[in-house]
Amino acid sequence: HAKYRVAVIGSGNWGSVASRLIASNTAKLPSFYDEVRMWVFEEILPTGKKLSESINEENENCKYLPGIKLGANVIADPNLESAVKDANMLVFVTPHQFVEGICKKLIGKLRPGAEAISLIKGMEVKMEGPCMISKLIADTLGINCCVLMGANIANEIAVEMFSEATIGYRKDKEVANRWAKLFTTPYFLVSVAEDIEGVELCGTLKNIVAIAAGLVDGLDMGNNTKAAIMRIGLREMRAFSKLLFPSVRDNTFFESCGVADLITTCLGGRNRRVAEAFARNGGKRSFDELEAEMLHGQKLQGVSTAREVYEVLTYRGWQELFPLLSTVHEICIGQLPPTSIVEYSEHTPNLS
Ligand code: NAD
Ligand code: 13P
């Protein structure tokens, strides 16, 4: 029987937790080699030590996941090429803005027959139009790439609180089931859906809605307002996804990757938190500044995703169909004040 070797590309907050989760399974399941190589974007800590060395000495990522042991079979590797060289299952989990550069460095370096999965929430916009991250990985490296998205605030999964996730795949269910086996634990239940675009767009677009929810919090509006923003956001997510990919299924929005991720991110995510601070400052301090101050190296995805989606909307003449998605971007760049998030709704067209 084939035996699988896993490498994780990324070691931020979710990257570290995903490595820990996967390593707990590879240590137990005979079809996987125990060791999980985790590629670390090297940095020097305030102590003068390299992050990768610190992870290997302490079995802990003191910068992005302090206080949590990763498992003795997680090995940090700052060298991208050596981290992936023996692996035939590659887990991509970096902020979406870095993935293209990483993929270019990986061309010609992968083991033949390697499979990938992306845990990355985001998209790229090219001259030819929008490109989902899993497609970017698949096309750049010539490999199959599934996605895993869900209501998965990393710090909660790190301490093994129950959650669910959705794997999106195209055609090959056997491969999707292998990924599900790698990720499933008693506290992390994974289902599979043959709707890769739908699953990935859910994970990507909800970050924009989470910015809107954070603005509502920062304006001290109530729960009803926030729920309204989430409902309108979900409708725009579904409409936008279906316009881009008519194959996207309604059912996907009822999986963990859909409404559940939207809820948890709008209640407890980083996008929400930084957007709340942005609104409390009346939009006078930029998202970049607040991100650097509040997140200590962790990255927001919602602000850049709002810009990317806005490019698609303006290019295709769809802006009027998506007032919430458009307004979030216009607030982020300072073109509109934060209060506009609750002022646009009279213009909301009927999307159903
Ligand atoms: P993070 O935001 O915690 O950390 C940022 C990471 O980027 C660090 O590992 C840092 O070393 C790395 N980095 C900085 N500059 C870089 C560069 N130039 N090149 C490459 N890497 C660089 O990361 P995360 O939370 O693991 O997020 C990764 C993806 O997972 C995102 O798409 C995010 O939306 C998604 N996600 C996150 C969570 C969560 O709760 N954290 C949950 C689900 C999905
Ligand atoms: P934030 O990046 O806003 O923290 O969202 C995390 C997430 O994707 C939860 O599923």
Side-chain angles (χ1 to χ4, degrees):
H1 277 293
K3 204 161 166 173
Y4 299 96
R5 193 180 281 283
V6 185
V8 176
I9 298 158
S11 53
N13 188 231
W14 184 213
S16 300
V17 175
S19 298
R20 178 182 189 274
L21 180 78
I22 290 167
S24 73
N25 275 336
T26 58
K28 279 188 222 135
L29 300 171
S31 50
F32 300 96
Y33 288 98
D34 286 3
E35 183 181 289
V36 174
R37 286 254 152 191
M38 178 174 80
W39 173 67
V40 174
F41 176 75
E42 192 67 288
E43 16 186 328
I44 306 297
L45 298 170
T47 55
K49 201 179 257 298
K50 290 179 173 165
L51 176 59
S52 63
E53 285 173 10
S54 160
I55 294 174
N56 286 333
E57 280 167 25
E58 310 293 330
N59 193 234
E60 194 177 307
N61 187 337
C62 64
K63 177 151 183 193
Y64 295 99
L65 189 67
I68 304 285
K69 295 294 173 202
L70 297 175
N73 52 334
V74 175
I75 308 295
D77 189 340
N79 182 319
L80 187 59
E81 210 178 312
S82 90
V84 301
K85 119 175 120 43
D86 298 320
N88 49 1
M89 292 181 84
L90 303 169
V91 179
F92 286 83
V93 52
T94 64
H96 78 281
Q97 56 271 40
F98 305 129
V99 76
E100 188 166 21
I102 291 168
C103 283
K104 285 192 175 140
K105 292 194 188 118
L106 286 175
I107 294 173
K109 311 289 185 204
L110 301 184
R111 223 175 112 172
E115 292 275 343
I117 194 164
S118 169
L119 277 50
I120 299 167
K121 293 172 176 172
M123 71 199 299
E124 281 285 324
V125 180
K126 308 254 166 223
M127 294 290 280
E128 318 82 76
C131 177
M132 301 312 295
I133 298 299
S134 65
K135 187 166 185 318
L136 182 78
I137 295 168
D139 290 356
T140 312
L141 296 171
I143 56 179
N144 182 49
C145 187
C146 293
V147 297
L148 181 144
M149 306 278 142
N152 300 146
I153 303 238
N155 291 333
E156 298 178 16
I157 299 168
V159 292
E160 307 191 2
M161 291 174 175
F162 176 79
S163 70
E164 300 177 309
T166 316
I167 286 177
Y169 69 97
R170 201 188 315 279
K171 292 198 193 98
D172 197 339
K173 192 166 184 184
E174 202 181 309
V175 172
N177 284 336
R178 189 182 313 132
W179 284 115
K181 190 171 161 198
L182 181 66
F183 280 93
T184 302
T185 71
Y187 63 89
F188 195 72
L189 289 199
V190 181
S191 58
V192 302
E194 193 179 353
D195 181 8
I196 186 164
E197 284 89 6
V199 173
E200 193 167 1
L201 275 160
C202 278
T204 297
L205 297 171
K206 62 88 195 174
N207 283 333
I208 308 177
V209 186
I211 299 277
L215 296 172
V216 164
D217 287 342
L219 295 167
D220 287 319
M221 311 292 283
N223 292 327
N224 295 341
T225 309
K226 194 159 157 185
I229 289 292
M230 287 162 70
R231 184 196 73 82
I232 295 164
L234 185 62
R235 270 164 68 101
E236 290 195 16
M237 283 167 57
R238 183 178 68 169
F240 181 77
S241 302
K242 288 185 156 198
L243 271 176
L244 271 193
F245 298 101
S247 61
V248 167
R249 296 178 187 166
D250 282 341
N251 276 348
T252 301
F253 294 84
F254 294 94
E255 297 294 335
S256 178
C257 63
V259 68
D261 194 11
L262 179 71
I263 292 170
T264 200
T265 309
C266 289
L267 296 181
R270 301 169 295 188
N271 286 288
R272 187 218 66 82
R273 189 150 57 89
V274 178
E276 176 179 5
F278 181 85
R280 288 207 187 281
N281 284 288
K284 290 191 183 65
R285 299 186 62 203
S286 72
F287 270 96
D288 281 352
E289 200 183 327
L290 293 166
E291 176 187 67
E293 183 179 297
M294 297 173 73
L295 297 185
H296 313 292
Q298 295 187 32
K299 300 284 181 201
L300 291 180
Q301 304 282 259
V303 174
S304 45
T305 304
R307 184 188 64 237
E308 285 141 8
V309 165
Y310 195 86
E311 279 177 44
V312 178
L313 297 179
T314 45
Y315 187 75
R316 304 207 176 186
W318 293 347
Q319 221 176 320
E320 299 221 322
L321 292 172
F322 299 96
L324 189 143
L325 298 178
S326 304
T327 302
V328 168
H329 173 67
E330 288 167 355
I331 294 171
C332 287
I333 60 170
Q335 199 171 304
L336 291 175
T339 47
S340 311
I341 199 64
V342 286
E343 285 160 6
Y344 75 94
S345 57
E346 63 209 70
H347 307 297
T348 307
N350 189 344
L351 290 168
S352 60

